[in-house]
Amino acid sequence: ASPLDVNAVRADFPILDTRIGDAPLVYLDSGATSQKPRAVLDAERRFLETANSAVHRGAHTLAAEATELFEDARTAVASFVGADEETLVWTSGATAALNLVAYSIGNATAGRGGAAASAFAIRPGDEIVFTESDHHANLIPWQELAARTGAVTRAIPVHDDGTLDLAAAAEIIGERTRIVAFPHVSNVLGIVNPVAELTALAHEVGALAVLDACQSAPHLPLDLPATGVDFAAFSGHKMLGPYGIGGLYGRAELLDALPPFLTGGSMVTTVTLEKADFLPAPHKFEAGTQPVSQAVALAAAVRYLDGLGMDVLHARERELEKRMRDGLRQLPGIRLLGDAPAGVERVALASFDVDGVHAHDVGQFLDSRGVAVRVGHHCAQPLHRRFGITASVRASASVFTTEDEIDTFLDAVSGVRSFFGADA
Ligand code: PMP
């Protein structure tokens, strides 16, 4: 039996009272964006009502209070991923975090950041490696960096069962490799990739390991420093927090050495008309006004998750994941993407293709039963192409998902093909 009191959890999420037509909302789209518990909504509102003001400046009491809450939030979110606060840079989300790394390295390549940064410069013919299963946010910034520097991109392939081809990875990652970017958990496959192994392959050749932790941070206990990764990105809105806030974890010596991406106010010490000196990390990467109330609310989100217990949540998700996947496997005409053998670690997320019915039609049919899923390519076009399709249906669970909801979802999916005449 699961130690999670899911009914108590559900009571914390006001949106779960929503009805879609006559049906109760069954929200299975947390992989796209999560719902927010009252503690998060309240934290943001409380900050705005009682402490709102500009941080890191101003002599007044409120500014000091806001600054303290903002920096406490950094400590809380950093510690949620096992990190020290000075190694957590606020960003607007994972996309911004990954672009920050790519552009900082690009700036180092352009000679910014002095001798310490020059070690990270990319030379023509250097190689940047990512995977076939990456989200566009962990592909395109690297393609752009390669285009600006003359580097070459290479992709680690995915096996039919959705796991990464580690033998191919070991061949692809070589002495010209400078960066190895990969997802902790693919947002389409839900499989947990072997972070330590891929990081070791990167480090053996002196390359940086960049982890997209977007789909793992909400579901797995994380200790980013222990994995050895150099950088990791995540989005607040996928982990019960607000929009517009996310984080970049970076190893301290890298954050020290690399030049900033965005520049402007709040990230400098001395500025003349000719040049600027930058604050130490993380502040040198946080130009301009930061998402302060969102940071405070994200801290409330990670406290909420910690309160439930990430180990407890992960154990429960495994049960939900099994129920979802076993149920889908039994339905005729359903092909699961990346249906890796039992024993492969996963989060409760499954993508599938319905024979003879377009994913968008599936999505609309499920919506008519109150079931919210994601349809399309989920910002992973290369991965869909690899599986020979252009779109899929994705169901993803969260802390409040019940067995009954999974069953409602499975029952709805079981009716799709006959409704569209695809079972003839
Ligand atoms: N990586 C993965 C694996 C994702 O699932 C997402 C969001 N779909 C992103 C990156 C991008 O996150 P955001 O849009 O919040 O920046």
Side-chain angles (χ1 to χ4, degrees):
S2 164
L4 190 77
D5 182 351
V6 71
N7 287 324
V9 169
R10 291 180 72 80
D12 292 335
F13 286 79
I15 206 160
L16 296 179
D17 294 338
T18 305
R19 296 186 78 81
I20 306 297
D22 292 334
L25 168 68
V26 175
Y27 188 76
L28 290 175
D29 198 15
S30 293
T33 198
S34 61
Q35 300 299 349
K36 327 300 172 196
R38 211 169 265 111
V40 169
L41 306 173
D42 289 350
E44 186 159 9
R45 185 177 188 95
R46 197 180 324 114
F47 175 86
L48 292 169
E49 286 182 347
T50 65
N52 182 53
S53 64
V55 299
H56 294 150
R57 72 193 88 168
H60 57 83
T61 304
L62 217 50
E65 211 170 297
T67 303
E68 196 178 323
L69 287 166
F70 180 56
E71 290 304 331
D72 282 354
R74 190 192 305 273
T75 307
V77 174
S79 100
F80 181 72
V81 295
D84 292 334
E85 59 268 15
E86 65 275 13
T87 61
L88 178 72
V89 179
W90 296 121
T91 65
S92 65
T95 303
L98 294 163
N99 274 280
L100 189 166
V101 179
Y103 276 89
S104 290
I105 292 172
N107 287 344
T109 305
R112 304 300 299 151
S118 67
F120 302 97
I122 305 284
R123 291 175 191 81
D126 280 351
E127 295 180 357
I128 301 175
V129 175
F130 40 61
T131 80
E132 215 174 14
S133 61
D134 271 293
H135 186 281
H136 296 166
N138 205 23
L139 288 178
I140 306 172
W142 307 119
Q143 293 172 346
E144 290 292 310
L145 177 63
R148 289 196 305 277
T149 58
V152 177
T153 61
R154 302 188 66 183
I156 299 169
V158 168
H159 288 301
D160 284 344
D161 70 4
T163 56
L164 286 174
D165 184 339
L166 293 176
E171 282 182 13
I172 288 170
I173 298 168
E175 62 183 39
R176 296 240 54 181
T177 309
R178 306 303 310 284
I179 295 164
V180 179
F182 58 98
H184 194 176
V185 174
S186 146
N187 64 315
V188 177
L189 305 171
I191 294 170
V192 181
N193 289 317
V195 178
E197 212 167 324
L198 286 160
T199 300
L201 285 176
H203 286 173
E204 267 167 36
V205 297
L208 296 173
V210 182
L211 184 71
D212 176 354
C214 248
Q215 297 290 345
S216 56
H219 303 288
L220 305 176
L222 288 190
D223 185 342
L224 294 174
T227 65
V229 292
D230 297 291
F231 292 102
F234 54 89
S235 282
H237 73 96
K238 290 183 195 283
M239 46 198 289
L240 314 187
Y243 291 115
I245 182 86
L248 173 70
Y249 158 78
R251 284 203 300 111
E253 55 267 45
L254 299 173
L255 294 180
D256 284 346
L258 282 168
F261 163 36
L262 298 176
T263 52
S266 307
M267 48 81 73
V268 288
T269 51
T270 310
V271 182
T272 66
L273 290 178
E274 287 74 36
K275 65 180 273 287
D277 292 329
F278 305 130
L279 283 166
H283 304 291
K284 78 170 165 189
F285 294 105
E286 295 176 350
T289 304
Q290 295 298 298
V292 177
S293 58
Q294 294 91 328
V296 170
L298 179 55
V302 300
R303 286 187 186 111
Y304 183 86
L305 286 168
D306 266 338
L308 299 178
M310 293 306 289
D311 285 321
V312 171
L313 291 176
H314 183 42
R316 172 163 172 81
E317 275 209 25
R318 279 184 174 148
E319 291 166 18
L320 293 174
E321 183 274 321
K322 188 168 181 315
R323 194 181 190 94
M324 183 150 79
R325 206 164 275 277
D326 286 349
L328 286 168
R329 257 193 228 108
Q330 277 161 26
L331 299 177
I334 303 290
R335 176 168 69 124
L336 279 158
L337 297 193
D339 200 17
V344 169
E345 197 71 17
R346 291 178 169 280
V347 303
L349 176 157
S351 297
F352 57 98
D353 175 54
V354 181
D355 187 30
V357 187
H358 194 278
H360 285 89
D361 289 332
V362 178
Q364 278 186 2
F365 180 81
L366 296 189
D367 183 57
S368 73
R369 309 289 191 86
V371 180
V373 293
R374 173 88 187 260
V375 299
H377 53 61
H378 322 307
C379 301
Q381 288 185 24
L383 184 63
H384 280 79
R385 205 168 290 123
R386 185 250 174 269
F387 283 108
I389 52 180
T390 54
S392 65
V393 182
R394 180 183 72 191
S396 49
S398 185
V399 296
F400 49 71
T401 305
T402 64
E403 282 78 0
D404 283 353
E405 287 184 310
I406 300 290
D407 293 346
T408 301
F409 155 76
L410 291 169
D411 185 54
V413 176
S414 74
V416 167
R417 292 183 76 238
S418 62
F419 182 84
F420 289 101
D423 60 345

